[in-house]
Amino acid sequence: MFKIIFGIILGIVLVTYYPQITTTTTKWFVDSGARDEIIKSLKKSKGQIICLLDSDDWFKKKKIKEVVNFFNKNKNQDILFDKPILFFGSGETKKISVQYGTRNNKWPKFPPTSCISFRKKNLVSIIKKVFNNDYPDLWIDFRLASFFTIKKKQFNLLNNHLTFYRQS
């Protein structure tokens, strides 16, 4: 059985895997309070894996199981990406075939926010490092994905399309 904690953060939902289901919502907030609200949500969660989820996206039923399996098999890895499925208002879907990953002399190419999962340990201290108001236009997903990819040399991509990414 799964227990999921939701903390809505600027349209991002933190999802945590553990044995029963619970829902918690944090208040809407702006730049200076975002980091503290994210940290508060993380501290309330009791699970060991955090999945980001934009409010208009959703996961395939098997996503959480695959994410948990990855982290169980890869104890030294702290970040995981999966591939998105574009979902259009007409109900049409399309799997994205973009080449995600690191690139020489360029920023890494990341999947969308809802395709990013983290191991919870050390995430609070990392958020404190990467989330400051020096660059207020950089969203938390880019900050965290960049930190893990560039600083920790971790870029793990499941070759599965597990997240529906809504298109306007």
Side-chain angles (χ1 to χ4, degrees):
M1 174 169 259
F2 292 98
K3 185 172 187 181
I4 300 174
I5 280 203
F6 294 97
I8 298 177
I9 299 171
L10 297 176
I12 296 173
V13 179
L14 296 175
V15 181
T16 306
Y17 164 84
Y18 55 102
Q20 304 203 334
I21 298 178
T22 299
T23 303
T24 298
T25 306
T26 60
K27 64 182 182 230
W28 185 264
F29 55 94
V30 293
D31 294 333
S32 63
R35 184 186 78 169
D36 295 336
E37 291 298 321
I38 293 167
I39 291 169
K40 187 164 60 171
S41 294
L42 287 171
K43 286 180 177 178
K44 280 187 175 185
S45 70
K46 295 179 184 171
Q48 299 306 310
I49 296 169
I50 303 296
C51 299
L52 300 183
L53 180 64
D54 279 329
S55 60
D56 60 344
D57 299 340
W58 66 95
F59 299 153
K60 278 186 146 182
K61 289 182 182 180
K62 66 181 184 174
K63 177 174 177 164
I64 300 298
K65 183 177 182 177
E66 290 196 31
V67 168
V68 169
N69 286 340
F70 172 84
F71 284 117
N72 284 340
K73 290 177 184 173
N74 298 279
K75 302 288 185 193
N76 294 324
Q77 297 300 304
D78 298 315
I79 191 168
L80 176 64
F81 301 93
D82 65 269
K83 295 180 178 181
I85 304 164
L86 299 180
F87 179 83
F88 300 92
S90 64
E92 177 190 353
T93 61
K94 179 182 178 184
K95 292 182 178 178
I96 293 182
S97 60
V98 171
Q99 293 294 328
Y100 297 110
T102 58
R103 305 178 293 178
N104 289 336
N105 302 317
K106 293 183 180 179
W107 285 104
K109 177 79 173 159
F110 302 119
T113 303
S114 298
C115 297
I116 308 173
S117 303
F118 303 94
R119 190 180 302 279
K120 182 181 165 187
K121 78 173 186 187
N122 303 324
L123 196 53
V124 169
S125 64
I126 291 167
I127 288 171
K128 288 179 180 178
K129 286 180 190 174
V130 302
F131 203 101
N132 58 50
N133 285 329
D134 292 345
Y135 305 98
D137 294 335
L138 288 180
W139 288 79
I140 189 74
D141 58 341
F142 181 79
R143 292 168 188 258
L144 289 170
S146 297
F147 177 85
F148 281 100
T149 303
I150 296 166
K151 186 82 169 163
K152 294 190 81 174
K153 307 283 189 236
Q154 293 184 24
F155 189 96
N156 303 295
L157 178 66
L158 287 177
N159 198 24
N160 296 330
H161 294 81
L162 300 173
T163 303
F164 288 95
Y165 183 53
R166 186 180 301 271
Q167 304 298 290
S168 301

